[in-house]
Amino acid sequence: MNVSPDFSLPLRLIAPYFVGAVVLYIVSMGLLLLLPVDISIHDFRLIGWVHLYIIGFVMMVIIGAMGQLSVVVGEIHHRYPKLFGWIGPLLGTGTVILVGGFYYDLSLLPYGGGIIAIALGLFAFNLFVTLSYSRRRTSVTRSMQWSTLFLGIGLGLGVLMALGYAGRIESDPSHWRMGHIFALFGGYIMINIMGVSTVLLPMFGACNRPADSDYTISFYMMAASVFTMVCSAVFHSQWLETAALLLGIGSVTYYMFQVYLIFTSKKRRYSDIWERSVAVAFIALVFFMGIGTYGVLSGDEKGVLLAFWFLTAGFLGFLITAHLYKIVPFLVWFERYAPFIDERDVPMLHQLLPERWANLQWRLALGGLAAVALAIVFSHSLLWQTGVLMLAGSGFVLLGILIKLLRDKL
């Protein structure tokens, strides 16, 4: 992998994605504070919150990270780098309109969904065209290309559902819900996470990297799961939906086994904020798999809600935060300090990160995750509000850390 400034986008194009994502994370926690602890998983307010969190926080960080990582892994230049100046504002605007539609007026959904589709379509187009010029063909580049296909499918189904909810077309949105979820979460987010983590987890954790063939088992199982789920939505087939769920569970289970092998091959014994955050993320993923399977099989709505909480705030929240602590300091150091390494003393990479602030953020996020989980189990409003406030506080601390990092210079 050729880490060269020739392939990287300037920090001024990428930094707004990370800052904007954390701002929307804080906003999402503010909205969560207004929801009741016993809210139904079918409540439009909760669905709106999910879209704000996934698109505004998760997708925004992924786009920023992939904007740098995709060209470095593929050793190729972006074909249309100026698009990154448009994607972020469009994505943020579309997300706000979409959430407003879920909270106030369903007729707004097609407009918000359409703007989001344009933003993510531009990103997918640039990424797909860029990687098509790369001579490197690895599991990571393949996962990036395949994920753009699933992103397109998920966006198409999402726009179709938005038109149905708004009454613009005669279509039952619930028929497409699982296909939409699987295409975007399984096909785009998880395939990207599984592919990129084969590079980042060994690199940041000083561990052995698995062979491409080890990853492809999870990759193809997840791809099959997504295609099967979309087919189940088209044909309204329950047995296809069950098969898709089993394939998805198998894919994530095998991936977690590979993660276990990666960390047990660790060459140096130390613990930092990245490792602690990743540990919480994968423990939360285990909880999601176990509780989610029980909730689906038993029809327990509270179990499904609890599993979803561990997936969003636990797995995605801690995994993304962990990699922000590695990616942002590296980008700042690489752009602002690396050119002067032979001319003057420059700080080490780890010295850029304010460790005490990062530890505070981790403790607040972990406490908030646990408090809200207990609140869901016991239907306890005070625990719910306390946990959400702790998570919002962790977001403010994380925002302060990012601002400090991005303002750091010689």
Side-chain angles (χ1 to χ4, degrees), residues 266 268-277 279 355 359 362:
K266 191 173 181 181
R268 299 193 303 269
R269 297 295 170 187
Y270 68 96
S271 177
D272 61 4
I273 187 65
W274 173 84
E275 184 172 298
R276 294 196 299 275
S277 297
E355 187 175 350
N359 288 331
W362 183 84

Side-chain angles (χ1 to χ4, degrees), residues 3 35 42 77 107 148-149 153 180 255 283 292 307:
V3 182
L35 301 182
H42 303 293
H77 298 89
S107 65
T148 59
L149 171 64
I153 294 173
H180 174 65
Y255 165 66
I283 291 171

Side-chain angles (χ1 to χ4, degrees), residues 12 46 55 69 96 153 189 249 276 291 293 297 328 354 366 391:
R12 60 180 173 79
L46 182 60
I55 302 173
L69 187 63
V96 171
I153 294 173
I189 294 177
I249 291 172
R276 294 196 299 275
I291 298 172
T293 301
L297 293 178
V328 178
L366 182 60
L391 286 163

Side-chain angles (χ1 to χ4, degrees), residues 167-359:
R168 302 292 180 83
I169 61 173
E170 293 184 5
S171 174
D172 185 355
S174 64
H175 288 163
W176 306 103
R177 184 183 299 122
M178 292 301 292
H180 174 65
I181 293 172
F182 264 60
L184 289 179
F185 179 75
Y188 183 71
I189 294 177
M190 279 305 296
I191 282 181
N192 266 322
I193 286 176
M194 290 191 294
V196 171
S197 64
T198 63
V199 175
L200 297 186
L201 293 182
M203 181 171 65
F204 293 151
C207 308
N208 293 331
R209 183 182 175 185
D212 269 12
S213 58
D214 293 328
Y215 163 70
T216 53
I217 294 175
S218 291
F219 168 74
Y220 286 121
M221 287 182 71
M222 183 59 75
S225 172
V226 174
F227 277 122
T228 304
M229 185 59 77
V230 172
C231 288
S232 77
V234 173
F235 299 110
H236 309 298
S237 172
Q238 184 62 47
W239 74 267
L240 281 177
E241 181 175 321
T242 302
L245 288 169
L246 292 174
L247 284 168
I249 291 172
S251 172
V252 175
T253 301
Y254 189 80
Y255 165 66
M256 291 167 62
F257 174 67
Q258 293 302 315
V259 170
Y260 169 78
L261 294 179
I262 289 173
F263 280 104
T264 53
S265 70
K266 191 173 181 181
K267 299 173 182 177
R268 299 193 303 269
R269 297 295 170 187
Y270 68 96
S271 177
D272 61 4
I273 187 65
W274 173 84
E275 184 172 298
R276 294 196 299 275
S277 297
V278 168
V280 173
F282 284 106
I283 291 171
L285 184 59
V286 172
F287 286 166
F288 161 72
M289 294 283 287
I291 298 172
T293 301
Y294 163 77
V296 171
L297 293 178
S298 65
D300 183 359
E301 185 172 305
K302 182 180 288 188
V304 174
L305 182 62
L306 181 60
F308 193 74
W309 175 249
F310 279 118
L311 176 67
T312 52
F315 174 63
L316 293 176
F318 276 84
L319 190 67
I320 287 175
T321 303
H323 286 86
L324 283 176
Y325 284 140
K326 290 289 188 179
I327 292 171
V328 178
F330 174 77
L331 294 179
V332 171
W333 187 90
F334 196 61
E335 180 171 304
R336 297 178 181 168
Y337 293 99
F340 303 101
I341 198 167
D342 293 326
E343 300 176 11
R344 64 185 79 174
D345 290 334
V346 298
M348 300 290 288
L349 187 60
H350 70 273
Q351 293 176 322
L352 298 181
L353 183 67
E355 187 175 350
R356 292 177 62 185
W357 286 22
N359 288 331

Side-chain angles (χ1 to χ4, degrees), residues 69-86:
L69 187 63
S70 59
V71 289
V72 172
V73 170
E75 296 185 2
I76 192 73
H77 298 89
H78 275 291
R79 301 302 296 177
Y80 307 104
K82 291 183 179 180
L83 287 179
F84 281 87
W86 292 93

